Amino acid sequence: MTENDTEREPPGIGPRDWKSHPAYVSPEYKSTVLRGPTKPLVPITHSLSELTGPVYGAECVGELDHDLTRNGIKDGEPLGERMIVSGRVLDEAGRPIRNTLVEVWQANAAGRYIHLVDQHNAPLDPNFFGGGRCVTDDEGRYRFLTVKPGAYPWGNHPNAWRPNHIHFSLFGPSIATRLVTQMYFPGDPLLEHDPIFLGTPEIARNRLISKFSLDVTEADFALGYIFDIVLRGPDQTPMET
Amino acid sequence: MSHKQTPSQTVGPYFAYGLTPGQYNYRFAEVASGSMADDKVAGEHIRIIGQVLDGEGVPINDAMIELWQADATGRYAGDSDVRANTGFSGFGRFGTGTDEENRFIFDTVKPGSVENGAAPHVSIIVFMRGMLTHAYTRAYFSDEVEANANDPVLSSVPEGRRETLVAMRNEEDGNVTYRFDIHMQGDAETVFFDV
Ligand SMILES: [Fe+3]
Protein backbone atom coordinates (compact mmCIF):
# COMPACT_ATOMS: atom_id res chain seq x y z
CA MET A 1 0.00 0.00 0.00
CA THR A 2 1.42 3.37 -0.94
CA GLU A 3 0.96 6.56 0.98
CA ASN A 4 -1.52 7.60 -1.62
CA ASP A 5 -3.64 4.58 -0.89
CA THR A 6 -4.09 5.55 2.72
CA GLU A 7 -5.33 8.92 1.54
CA ARG A 8 -7.67 7.35 -0.98
CA GLU A 9 -11.28 8.41 -0.80
CA PRO A 10 -13.95 5.91 -1.81
CA PRO A 11 -15.30 6.71 -5.27
CA GLY A 12 -17.99 9.36 -5.35
CA ILE A 13 -21.58 8.48 -6.15
CA GLY A 14 -23.71 10.62 -8.44
CA PRO A 15 -27.10 11.97 -7.39
CA ARG A 16 -30.30 10.02 -7.11
CA ASP A 17 -32.08 10.60 -10.41
CA TRP A 18 -35.47 11.82 -9.24
CA LYS A 19 -36.80 11.51 -12.80
CA SER A 20 -36.39 7.75 -12.36
CA HIS A 21 -37.80 7.24 -8.88
CA PRO A 22 -41.33 7.53 -7.49
CA ALA A 23 -42.30 10.57 -5.44
CA TYR A 24 -42.88 10.03 -1.73
CA VAL A 25 -46.53 11.03 -1.82
CA SER A 26 -48.41 9.38 -4.65
CA PRO A 27 -52.12 9.76 -3.81
CA GLU A 28 -53.36 6.87 -5.97
CA TYR A 29 -51.34 4.64 -3.64
CA LYS A 30 -53.28 5.58 -0.54
CA SER A 31 -50.81 4.61 2.19
CA THR A 32 -48.28 7.11 0.86
CA VAL A 33 -50.50 10.02 1.89
CA LEU A 34 -49.73 9.75 5.61
CA ARG A 35 -46.34 8.11 5.29
CA GLY A 36 -44.31 9.95 2.68
CA PRO A 37 -42.20 12.88 3.87
CA THR A 38 -43.75 16.17 2.78
CA LYS A 39 -41.00 18.67 3.54
CA PRO A 40 -38.26 19.09 0.93
CA LEU A 41 -35.29 16.78 1.36
CA VAL A 42 -32.24 18.55 2.77
CA PRO A 43 -29.18 18.41 0.50
CA ILE A 44 -26.19 16.57 1.93
CA THR A 45 -22.59 16.41 0.80
CA HIS A 46 -21.57 12.77 0.82
CA SER A 47 -19.07 11.86 3.50
CA LEU A 48 -17.70 8.46 4.45
CA SER A 49 -21.03 7.80 6.17
CA GLU A 50 -22.78 7.72 2.80
CA LEU A 51 -19.90 6.41 0.69
CA THR A 52 -19.34 3.28 2.76
CA GLY A 53 -21.77 0.46 3.39
CA PRO A 54 -22.09 -3.07 4.65
CA VAL A 55 -20.17 -5.73 2.76
CA TYR A 56 -21.84 -9.09 2.35
CA GLY A 57 -20.01 -11.64 0.28
CA ALA A 58 -20.37 -15.31 -0.55
CA GLU A 59 -19.88 -16.29 3.10
CA CYS A 60 -23.38 -15.11 4.00
CA VAL A 61 -25.14 -17.12 1.28
CA GLY A 62 -26.22 -20.70 1.95
CA GLU A 63 -26.02 -23.45 -0.65
CA LEU A 64 -29.74 -23.35 -1.55
CA ASP A 65 -30.40 -19.68 -0.88
CA HIS A 66 -30.57 -18.88 -4.62
CA ASP A 67 -32.91 -21.78 -5.37
CA LEU A 68 -36.44 -21.07 -4.18
CA THR A 69 -37.64 -24.25 -5.90
CA ARG A 70 -35.69 -26.22 -3.30
CA ASN A 71 -35.01 -24.07 -0.24
CA GLY A 72 -38.49 -24.53 1.21
CA ILE A 73 -39.09 -28.18 0.38
CA LYS A 74 -40.73 -30.32 3.05
CA ASP A 75 -42.16 -33.31 1.21
CA GLY A 76 -42.33 -32.46 -2.48
CA GLU A 77 -41.78 -29.88 -5.16
CA PRO A 78 -43.38 -26.44 -4.97
CA LEU A 79 -46.41 -26.01 -7.25
CA GLY A 80 -46.44 -23.54 -10.12
CA GLU A 81 -44.54 -22.57 -13.21
CA ARG A 82 -40.81 -22.93 -12.62
CA MET A 83 -38.75 -19.97 -13.75
CA ILE A 84 -35.23 -18.63 -13.78
CA VAL A 85 -34.55 -14.97 -13.22
CA SER A 86 -31.09 -13.67 -13.90
CA GLY A 87 -29.48 -10.43 -14.81
CA ARG A 88 -26.61 -8.12 -14.19
CA VAL A 89 -26.19 -5.47 -11.55
CA LEU A 90 -24.50 -2.48 -13.17
CA ASP A 91 -23.69 1.08 -12.28
CA GLU A 92 -24.75 3.99 -14.47
CA ALA A 93 -21.51 3.76 -16.41
CA GLY A 94 -22.40 0.18 -17.30
CA ARG A 95 -19.73 -1.35 -15.12
CA PRO A 96 -20.59 -4.56 -13.28
CA ILE A 97 -21.14 -4.35 -9.54
CA ARG A 98 -19.38 -7.42 -8.24
CA ASN A 99 -19.81 -9.38 -5.08
CA THR A 100 -22.89 -7.53 -3.90
CA LEU A 101 -25.79 -9.08 -2.05
CA VAL A 102 -29.12 -9.48 -3.85
CA GLU A 103 -32.07 -10.48 -1.67
CA VAL A 104 -35.51 -11.49 -2.99
CA TRP A 105 -38.91 -12.37 -1.59
CA GLN A 106 -42.16 -13.18 -3.31
CA ALA A 107 -45.60 -14.78 -3.17
CA ASN A 108 -46.12 -18.40 -4.17
CA ALA A 109 -47.75 -19.44 -7.44
CA ALA A 110 -51.20 -18.91 -5.92
CA GLY A 111 -50.43 -15.33 -4.91
CA ARG A 112 -49.97 -15.97 -1.19
CA TYR A 113 -47.02 -14.92 0.96
CA ILE A 114 -45.86 -17.06 3.83
CA HIS A 115 -45.89 -13.87 5.93
CA LEU A 116 -48.27 -14.19 8.89
CA VAL A 117 -49.95 -10.87 8.08
CA ASP A 118 -50.98 -12.11 4.61
CA GLN A 119 -54.51 -13.41 5.00
CA HIS A 120 -55.36 -13.67 1.31
CA ASN A 121 -57.65 -16.64 0.82
CA ALA A 122 -55.31 -18.57 -1.45
CA PRO A 123 -53.40 -21.69 -0.46
CA LEU A 124 -49.99 -21.68 1.13
CA ASP A 125 -47.60 -24.12 -0.49
CA PRO A 126 -45.94 -26.33 2.12
CA ASN A 127 -42.94 -26.70 -0.15
CA PHE A 128 -42.38 -23.06 -0.99
CA PHE A 129 -40.82 -20.47 1.28
CA GLY A 130 -40.36 -17.55 -1.11
CA GLY A 131 -37.21 -15.90 0.23
CA GLY A 132 -33.73 -16.10 -1.25
CA ARG A 133 -30.41 -14.38 -1.70
CA CYS A 134 -27.27 -14.54 -3.76
CA VAL A 135 -24.15 -12.55 -4.45
CA THR A 136 -23.21 -11.18 -7.88
CA ASP A 137 -20.24 -12.70 -9.70
CA ASP A 138 -17.31 -10.95 -11.36
CA GLU A 139 -19.53 -9.81 -14.22
CA GLY A 140 -22.18 -8.51 -11.85
CA ARG A 141 -24.46 -11.45 -12.61
CA TYR A 142 -27.03 -12.96 -10.27
CA ARG A 143 -29.35 -15.92 -10.85
CA PHE A 144 -32.35 -17.30 -8.97
CA LEU A 145 -34.49 -20.38 -9.57
CA THR A 146 -38.07 -20.00 -8.39
CA VAL A 147 -41.71 -20.37 -9.41
CA LYS A 148 -43.63 -17.54 -11.01
CA PRO A 149 -45.41 -15.56 -8.27
CA GLY A 150 -49.17 -15.21 -8.54
CA ALA A 151 -51.11 -11.96 -8.54
CA TYR A 152 -52.80 -11.07 -5.26
CA PRO A 153 -55.46 -8.64 -4.04
CA TRP A 154 -54.74 -5.73 -1.74
CA GLY A 155 -56.88 -3.18 0.02
CA ASN A 156 -55.86 0.00 -1.78
CA HIS A 157 -59.13 0.38 -3.69
CA PRO A 158 -62.01 -1.86 -4.75
CA ASN A 159 -60.87 -4.85 -6.81
CA ALA A 160 -57.19 -3.89 -6.45
CA TRP A 161 -54.71 -6.57 -7.54
CA ARG A 162 -50.94 -6.49 -7.51
CA PRO A 163 -49.36 -7.60 -10.78
CA ASN A 164 -47.04 -10.60 -10.59
CA HIS A 165 -43.81 -9.37 -9.04
CA ILE A 166 -40.67 -10.33 -7.17
CA HIS A 167 -39.26 -8.00 -4.50
CA PHE A 168 -35.55 -7.21 -4.80
CA SER A 169 -33.15 -5.64 -2.30
CA LEU A 170 -29.63 -4.58 -3.27
CA PHE A 171 -26.76 -2.82 -1.58
CA GLY A 172 -24.10 -1.94 -4.13
CA PRO A 173 -20.93 -0.38 -2.79
CA SER A 174 -22.38 2.09 -0.31
CA ILE A 175 -25.34 3.45 1.59
CA ALA A 176 -25.89 5.90 -1.28
CA THR A 177 -26.48 3.06 -3.75
CA ARG A 178 -29.01 1.15 -1.62
CA LEU A 179 -32.07 0.07 -3.63
CA VAL A 180 -35.24 -1.84 -2.89
CA THR A 181 -37.42 -2.46 -5.92
CA GLN A 182 -39.83 -4.90 -7.58
CA MET A 183 -39.49 -6.84 -10.80
CA TYR A 184 -42.55 -7.25 -13.00
CA PHE A 185 -43.38 -9.47 -15.98
CA PRO A 186 -43.85 -8.52 -19.63
CA GLY A 187 -47.42 -8.27 -20.86
CA ASP A 188 -49.05 -8.30 -17.43
CA PRO A 189 -52.53 -6.75 -17.86
CA LEU A 190 -52.54 -5.62 -14.22
CA LEU A 191 -49.62 -3.24 -14.65
CA GLU A 192 -51.75 -0.43 -16.06
CA HIS A 193 -54.02 -0.65 -13.01
CA ASP A 194 -51.36 -0.83 -10.30
CA PRO A 195 -50.70 2.40 -8.34
CA ILE A 196 -47.38 1.05 -7.08
CA PHE A 197 -46.03 0.43 -10.57
CA LEU A 198 -47.71 3.60 -11.86
CA GLY A 199 -46.16 5.63 -9.03
CA THR A 200 -42.95 5.36 -11.03
CA PRO A 201 -42.32 8.16 -13.53
CA GLU A 202 -43.63 6.96 -16.89
CA ILE A 203 -40.27 7.31 -18.57
CA ALA A 204 -38.72 4.82 -16.14
CA ARG A 205 -41.47 2.21 -15.80
CA ASN A 206 -40.20 -0.18 -18.45
CA ARG A 207 -36.98 -0.60 -16.44
CA LEU A 208 -39.03 -2.50 -13.86
CA ILE A 209 -40.28 -5.08 -16.38
CA SER A 210 -38.21 -8.18 -16.96
CA LYS A 211 -37.72 -9.64 -20.42
CA PHE A 212 -38.60 -13.16 -21.38
CA SER A 213 -35.51 -14.89 -22.75
CA LEU A 214 -35.31 -18.14 -24.64
CA ASP A 215 -31.57 -18.14 -23.95
CA VAL A 216 -32.13 -18.15 -20.20
CA THR A 217 -34.99 -20.66 -20.56
CA GLU A 218 -33.89 -24.23 -19.92
CA ALA A 219 -35.47 -27.00 -22.00
CA ASP A 220 -37.85 -29.29 -20.13
CA PHE A 221 -37.22 -27.32 -16.93
CA ALA A 222 -38.04 -23.62 -16.56
CA LEU A 223 -38.83 -20.38 -18.37
CA GLY A 224 -36.15 -17.70 -18.26
CA TYR A 225 -36.43 -13.98 -17.56
CA ILE A 226 -33.75 -11.31 -17.60
CA PHE A 227 -33.88 -8.41 -15.18
CA ASP A 228 -30.88 -6.09 -15.23
CA ILE A 229 -30.58 -3.64 -12.37
CA VAL A 230 -28.77 -0.31 -12.52
CA LEU A 231 -27.58 1.28 -9.29
CA ARG A 232 -26.31 4.80 -8.90
CA GLY A 233 -22.84 5.13 -10.29
CA PRO A 234 -19.76 7.28 -10.24
CA ASP A 235 -20.27 11.01 -9.95
CA GLN A 236 -18.16 11.51 -13.05
CA THR A 237 -18.52 9.44 -16.19
CA PRO A 238 -15.18 7.74 -16.79
CA MET A 239 -13.39 8.63 -20.02
CA GLU A 240 -14.10 6.21 -22.84
CA THR A 241 -10.82 4.58 -23.79
CA MET B 1 -22.44 3.81 -22.37
CA SER B 2 -24.77 5.34 -19.87
CA HIS B 3 -27.40 3.35 -18.08
CA LYS B 4 -30.46 4.68 -16.28
CA GLN B 5 -31.13 4.00 -12.62
CA THR B 6 -33.59 1.25 -11.83
CA PRO B 7 -36.56 2.87 -10.05
CA SER B 8 -37.22 2.23 -6.40
CA GLN B 9 -40.42 0.46 -5.29
CA THR B 10 -41.93 -0.03 -1.86
CA VAL B 11 -40.61 -2.77 0.40
CA GLY B 12 -44.31 -3.64 0.94
CA PRO B 13 -45.82 -5.23 4.03
CA TYR B 14 -44.27 -8.68 3.59
CA PHE B 15 -40.52 -8.05 3.75
CA ALA B 16 -40.04 -9.76 7.10
CA TYR B 17 -39.37 -13.34 6.03
CA GLY B 18 -36.94 -12.20 3.34
CA LEU B 19 -35.05 -9.40 5.11
CA THR B 20 -35.55 -9.83 8.87
CA PRO B 21 -36.45 -13.52 9.14
CA GLY B 22 -34.81 -14.25 12.49
CA GLN B 23 -36.54 -11.39 14.27
CA TYR B 24 -39.93 -12.57 12.96
CA ASN B 25 -39.24 -16.27 13.65
CA TYR B 26 -39.01 -17.49 10.08
CA ARG B 27 -36.61 -20.34 9.45
CA PHE B 28 -34.14 -18.56 7.22
CA ALA B 29 -30.73 -17.33 8.25
CA GLU B 30 -30.45 -13.56 8.28
CA VAL B 31 -27.60 -11.27 7.36
CA ALA B 32 -28.37 -8.54 9.90
CA SER B 33 -30.49 -7.93 12.99
CA GLY B 34 -30.90 -5.45 15.81
CA SER B 35 -28.11 -7.11 17.79
CA MET B 36 -25.12 -5.36 16.29
CA ALA B 37 -22.53 -5.66 19.03
CA ASP B 38 -21.82 -8.56 21.35
CA ASP B 39 -19.85 -8.08 24.58
CA LYS B 40 -16.53 -8.39 22.77
CA VAL B 41 -17.05 -5.25 20.70
CA ALA B 42 -15.10 -2.34 22.14
CA GLY B 43 -16.83 0.88 23.08
CA GLU B 44 -19.74 2.17 25.11
CA HIS B 45 -22.60 -0.25 24.65
CA ILE B 46 -25.85 1.54 23.93
CA ARG B 47 -29.37 0.84 22.76
CA ILE B 48 -31.03 2.98 20.09
CA ILE B 49 -34.76 2.74 20.23
CA GLY B 50 -37.67 4.56 18.64
CA GLN B 51 -40.95 4.50 16.79
CA VAL B 52 -41.77 5.44 13.23
CA LEU B 53 -44.84 7.70 13.29
CA ASP B 54 -47.17 8.51 10.43
CA GLY B 55 -48.79 11.87 9.66
CA GLU B 56 -51.39 11.29 12.39
CA GLY B 57 -48.80 10.31 14.97
CA VAL B 58 -49.68 6.62 14.80
CA PRO B 59 -46.75 4.21 15.23
CA ILE B 60 -46.14 2.27 12.04
CA ASN B 61 -45.97 -1.50 12.47
CA ASP B 62 -44.59 -2.46 9.06
CA ALA B 63 -41.54 -0.27 8.64
CA MET B 64 -38.01 -1.59 8.37
CA ILE B 65 -35.10 0.45 9.68
CA GLU B 66 -31.51 -0.09 8.61
CA LEU B 67 -28.69 1.37 10.64
CA TRP B 68 -25.12 1.91 9.46
CA GLN B 69 -22.40 3.28 11.66
CA ALA B 70 -18.71 3.47 12.44
CA ASP B 71 -17.18 1.67 15.40
CA ALA B 72 -16.23 3.35 18.66
CA THR B 73 -13.02 4.65 17.10
CA GLY B 74 -14.83 6.18 14.14
CA ARG B 75 -13.94 3.55 11.54
CA TYR B 76 -16.34 1.91 9.11
CA ALA B 77 -16.14 -1.77 8.30
CA GLY B 78 -15.49 -2.85 4.73
CA ASP B 79 -13.29 -1.99 1.81
CA SER B 80 -14.47 1.56 1.24
CA ASP B 81 -12.88 2.84 4.43
CA VAL B 82 -9.19 2.05 4.07
CA ARG B 83 -8.72 2.67 7.79
CA ALA B 84 -11.07 -0.19 8.68
CA ASN B 85 -9.57 -2.48 11.28
CA THR B 86 -12.41 -3.96 13.21
CA GLY B 87 -14.67 -6.97 13.45
CA PHE B 88 -17.68 -4.77 14.09
CA SER B 89 -20.00 -5.01 11.06
CA GLY B 90 -21.69 -1.68 11.75
CA PHE B 91 -24.92 -2.72 10.05
CA GLY B 92 -28.26 -3.55 11.63
CA ARG B 93 -31.83 -4.16 10.51
CA PHE B 94 -35.04 -4.17 12.47
CA GLY B 95 -38.71 -4.38 11.51
CA THR B 96 -41.27 -2.54 13.64
CA GLY B 97 -43.76 -5.42 13.68
CA THR B 98 -42.54 -7.54 16.60
CA ASP B 99 -42.38 -5.06 19.49
CA GLU B 100 -45.69 -4.37 21.22
CA GLU B 101 -45.05 -0.64 20.92
CA ASN B 102 -43.87 -1.02 17.31
CA ARG B 103 -40.41 0.19 18.23
CA PHE B 104 -37.15 -0.56 16.47
CA ILE B 105 -34.40 -1.64 18.84
CA PHE B 106 -30.68 -1.69 18.07
CA ASP B 107 -28.09 -2.90 20.55
CA THR B 108 -24.81 -1.46 19.43
CA VAL B 109 -21.87 0.69 20.50
CA LYS B 110 -21.69 4.42 20.36
CA PRO B 111 -19.74 5.40 17.23
CA GLY B 112 -16.70 7.63 17.38
CA SER B 113 -16.22 10.69 15.24
CA VAL B 114 -15.42 9.60 11.68
CA GLU B 115 -13.75 12.73 10.37
CA ASN B 116 -12.34 15.93 11.77
CA GLY B 117 -15.21 18.19 12.68
CA ALA B 118 -17.89 15.54 12.31
CA ALA B 119 -19.98 14.66 15.34
CA PRO B 120 -20.67 11.01 16.13
CA HIS B 121 -23.79 9.81 14.34
CA VAL B 122 -25.44 6.80 12.78
CA SER B 123 -26.96 6.61 9.30
CA ILE B 124 -30.56 5.46 9.13
CA ILE B 125 -32.50 4.17 6.12
CA VAL B 126 -36.28 4.01 6.43
CA PHE B 127 -38.39 1.59 4.40
CA MET B 128 -42.08 0.83 4.74
CA ARG B 129 -45.28 -0.15 3.05
CA GLY B 130 -46.61 3.12 1.70
CA MET B 131 -43.24 4.54 0.75
CA LEU B 132 -42.16 3.95 -2.84
CA THR B 133 -38.65 5.31 -2.31
CA HIS B 134 -36.74 4.87 0.93
CA ALA B 135 -35.76 7.82 3.11
CA TYR B 136 -32.35 8.58 4.57
CA THR B 137 -31.59 10.36 7.81
CA ARG B 138 -28.95 10.51 10.55
CA ALA B 139 -29.18 10.25 14.31
CA TYR B 140 -26.81 12.34 16.42
CA PHE B 141 -26.40 12.03 20.20
CA SER B 142 -27.80 14.47 22.77
CA ASP B 143 -24.71 14.28 25.01
CA GLU B 144 -22.44 15.54 22.20
CA VAL B 145 -23.53 19.16 22.44
CA GLU B 146 -20.24 20.72 21.39
CA ALA B 147 -19.50 18.25 18.60
CA ASN B 148 -23.05 18.60 17.30
CA ALA B 149 -22.70 22.38 17.20
CA ASN B 150 -19.68 22.01 14.92
CA ASP B 151 -20.93 19.20 12.69
CA PRO B 152 -21.09 20.39 9.08
CA VAL B 153 -24.15 18.34 8.14
CA LEU B 154 -26.14 19.21 11.23
CA SER B 155 -25.18 22.87 10.77
CA SER B 156 -26.51 22.80 7.21
CA VAL B 157 -29.99 21.88 8.48
CA PRO B 158 -32.39 24.75 9.25
CA GLU B 159 -31.92 25.48 12.94
CA GLY B 160 -35.50 24.81 13.94
CA ARG B 161 -35.35 21.29 12.52
CA ARG B 162 -32.01 20.12 13.92
CA GLU B 163 -33.46 18.58 17.03
CA THR B 164 -35.31 16.03 14.88
CA LEU B 165 -31.87 14.52 14.25
CA VAL B 166 -30.76 14.22 17.87
CA ALA B 167 -31.32 10.99 19.81
CA MET B 168 -32.00 11.64 23.52
CA ARG B 169 -29.74 9.91 26.00
CA ASN B 170 -31.21 8.18 29.02
CA GLU B 171 -29.30 6.23 31.66
CA GLU B 172 -31.01 3.75 33.92
CA ASP B 173 -29.41 1.01 36.02
CA GLY B 174 -26.20 1.46 34.08
CA ASN B 175 -27.91 0.92 30.72
CA VAL B 176 -27.60 3.65 28.16
CA THR B 177 -30.54 4.13 25.82
CA TYR B 178 -30.99 6.72 23.13
CA ARG B 179 -34.52 7.52 22.00
CA PHE B 180 -34.90 8.43 18.36
CA ASP B 181 -38.45 8.69 17.02
CA ILE B 182 -38.88 9.15 13.30
CA HIS B 183 -41.75 11.43 12.30
CA MET B 184 -42.66 10.93 8.66
CA GLN B 185 -44.76 14.10 8.49
CA GLY B 186 -46.09 17.03 10.53
CA ASP B 187 -44.51 19.93 12.39
CA ALA B 188 -41.88 17.65 13.87
CA GLU B 189 -41.16 15.87 10.58
CA THR B 190 -37.72 14.32 10.79
CA VAL B 191 -35.14 15.80 8.46
CA PHE B 192 -34.58 13.45 5.54
CA PHE B 193 -31.62 14.03 3.28
CA ASP B 194 -31.33 13.87 -0.49
CA VAL B 195 -28.53 11.37 -0.09
FE1 LIG C 1 -45.53 -8.01 -2.95
Side-chain angles (χ1 to χ4, degrees):
Chain A
M1 184 180 280
T2 68
E3 270 191 354
N4 265 349
D5 279 330
T6 61
E7 299 292 315
R8 177 167 56 97
E9 290 280 312
I13 298 291
R16 188 183 272 171
D17 173 14
W18 285 101
K19 292 197 190 72
S20 293
H21 298 285
Y24 284 123
V25 175
S26 184
E28 298 288 308
Y29 176 14
K30 295 207 171 79
S31 301
T32 66
V33 173
L34 283 175
R35 293 183 167 203
T38 57
K39 297 194 195 316
L41 298 183
V42 173
I44 187 171
T45 303
H46 289 167
S47 73
L48 272 182
S49 302
E50 290 77 31
L51 295 176
T52 54
V55 180
Y56 291 108
E59 74 288 345
C60 71
V61 176
E63 191 189 349
L64 289 182
D65 283 1
H66 72 289
D67 187 349
L68 285 70
T69 68
R70 292 197 291 161
N71 71 16
I73 281 185
K74 290 213 174 63
D75 57 8
E77 303 255 334
L79 294 173
E81 184 180 296
R82 269 193 302 264
M83 60 169 278
I84 298 160
V85 55
S86 74
R88 297 178 77 198
V89 182
L90 304 168
D91 69 18
E92 289 172 274
R95 300 178 307 190
I97 299 180
R98 305 181 169 92
N99 202 37
T100 196
L101 185 66
V102 181
E103 296 167 281
V104 295
W105 68 102
Q106 64 166 88
N108 68 22
R112 177 83 183 266
Y113 287 88
I114 204 166
H115 195 291
L116 292 175
V117 171
D118 185 3
Q119 295 299 317
H120 173 36
N121 179 23
L124 285 168
D125 183 337
N127 294 304
F128 188 72
F129 177 69
R133 62 175 74 100
C134 72
V135 165
T136 57
D137 69 11
D138 278 352
E139 294 176 323
R141 264 177 225 294
Y142 71 87
R143 183 171 183 270
F144 291 101
L145 302 179
T146 185
V147 297
K148 188 173 181 183
Y152 60 86
W154 61 309
N156 189 69
H157 57 273
N159 209 11
W161 291 81
R162 292 302 327 282
N164 307 18
H165 63 276
I166 299 175
H167 295 266
F168 275 73
S169 165
L170 299 102
F171 284 96
S174 73
I175 289 298
T177 57
R178 186 84 176 90
L179 178 73
V180 167
T181 189
Q182 300 181 27
M183 179 204 103
Y184 300 95
F185 291 83
D188 190 330
L190 291 170
L191 286 170
E192 64 181 286
H193 303 289
D194 180 46
I196 291 180
F197 174 72
L198 297 177
T200 310
E202 189 171 2
I203 194 174
R205 286 177 198 155
N206 63 358
R207 296 175 218 156
L208 294 172
I209 302 175
S210 57
K211 291 183 180 61
F212 171 73
S213 166
L214 209 50
D215 292 333
V216 176
T217 297
E218 291 189 10
D220 304 321
F221 176 62
L223 296 186
Y225 294 86
I226 294 176
F227 182 55
D228 290 333
I229 298 165
V230 178
L231 303 182
R232 286 163 61 180
D235 49 3
Q236 286 165 319
T237 308
M239 298 287 285
E240 300 277 345
T241 52
Chain B
M1 172 148 181
S2 96
H3 290 62
K4 300 282 194 196
Q5 292 172 21
T6 300
S8 178
Q9 295 277 270
T10 178
V11 77
Y14 305 134
F15 61 81
Y17 70 90
L19 300 183
T20 52
Q23 184 198 336
Y24 285 72
N25 285 321
Y26 293 103
R27 295 185 61 177
F28 186 40
E30 64 191 354
V31 299
S33 72
S35 300
M36 295 170 60
D38 62 25
D39 294 346
K40 291 186 289 267
V41 175
E44 183 185 24
H45 283 250
I46 64 169
R47 170 170 278 194
I48 299 174
I49 198 164
Q51 293 172 313
V52 185
L53 302 148
D54 73 11
E56 292 177 340
V58 177
I60 290 168
N61 68 2
D62 52 10
M64 182 182 81
I65 301 300
E66 289 182 343
L67 192 151
W68 170 243
Q69 65 164 94
D71 68 10
T73 68
R75 296 177 182 220
Y76 284 104
D79 299 336
S80 299
D81 186 348
V82 293
R83 308 165 306 161
N85 69 343
T86 161
F88 176 60
S89 85
F91 185 71
R93 250 183 199 169
F94 205 91
T96 60
T98 61
D99 178 71
E100 57 185 20
E101 295 174 44
N102 300 131
R103 296 172 300 183
F104 55 84
I105 302 167
F106 292 99
D107 289 313
T108 183
V109 293
K110 190 176 174 191
S113 172
V114 174
E115 290 160 296
N116 276 344
H121 62 269
V122 299
S123 294
I124 289 178
I125 308 180
V126 184
F127 301 91
M128 67 185 77
R129 174 178 71 79
M131 204 157 59
L132 288 162
T133 298
H134 64 255
Y136 174 77
T137 188
R138 286 179 170 193
Y140 290 82
F141 298 93
S142 63
D143 52 322
E144 298 283 348
V145 176
E146 196 180 323
N148 289 347
N150 293 315
D151 182 83
V153 173
L154 204 48
S155 302
S156 75
V157 171
E159 201 172 348
R161 300 190 66 199
R162 287 179 200 162
E163 67 181 40
T164 70
L165 298 177
V166 180
M168 296 303 296
R169 184 180 176 102
N170 183 43
E171 279 177 65
E172 219 169 277
D173 306 328
N175 298 315
V176 179
T177 299
Y178 286 91
R179 178 81 188 195
F180 187 72
D181 289 334
I182 298 171
H183 296 264
M184 300 311 301
Q185 299 181 352
D187 292 344
E189 181 177 313
T190 298
V191 167
F192 299 105
F193 293 101
D194 189 5
V195 62

